[in-house]
Amino acid sequence: ASQGVAGGALEDITLSRKEYDQYLAVAYKKETFEKPRNAIGLAKTLTGDEMERLMLVNIVINDGDLKVLAENRAIAARNWLIENGEVPSERIFVVGVHEDGADEQKKGSRVEFLLK
C-alpha cells in the first residue's frame, strides 16, 4: 500500500482453523496489554476464541491508524479504476488526506485522489 499497489484480495485467502489459531497465537504473543496469568505468574494458555476476544477488547485505534486506512482505501479505489480500464494510470493520483476542521471526528478519515 505504501508503494501505491494493492495487495491480494482478502476473499482469496483460505485458512484452516488450525492455521488461523497458529497465526492468532503469534499476534497475541506480540500484544503488549496485560494478559491473564496462571498461579505461578506465567501467561495462561488460551483458546483461539479467548485470545481473539482479548485482542479486540484491548485494541487501540489512533488518528494515524485512520489516516493509513483512508490512504489504503484511496489506493484501492485508484487501482480498481485502473484495473477495470476506467481511467489510465497516468491520469489518476492519490493526493493526500482530507483535513476538515469543522468536524473533529472526521478529521483524517478520508483521502482524495485527483484525475488529470
Side-chain angles (χ1 to χ4, degrees), residues 34-45:
E34 189 66 31
K35 298 176 178 84
R37 304 272 174 199
N38 62 19
I40 59 174
L42 298 175
K44 280 185 177 180
T45 302

Side-chain angles (χ1 to χ4, degrees), residues 8-74:
L10 193 56
E11 301 86 37
D12 297 337
I13 299 172
T14 305
L15 293 176
S16 69
R17 183 62 195 200
K18 183 178 177 182
E19 291 171 318
Y20 181 82
D21 286 343
Q22 176 186 353
Y23 293 120
L24 182 64
V26 171
Y28 178 80
K29 187 174 181 179
K30 290 183 179 185
E31 289 290 341
T32 58
F33 60 82
E34 189 66 31
K35 298 176 178 84
R37 304 272 174 199
N38 62 19
I40 59 174
L42 298 175
K44 280 185 177 180
T45 302
L46 303 174
T47 66
D49 291 338
E50 291 171 317
M51 288 187 285
E52 189 171 7
R53 184 186 60 75
L54 283 171
M55 290 172 71
L56 290 172
V57 166
N58 289 287
I59 195 167
V60 176
I61 300 171
N62 60 43
D63 290 339
D65 296 331
L66 295 177
K67 180 180 176 186
V68 170
L69 176 62
E71 289 172 350
N72 288 343
R73 286 179 173 176

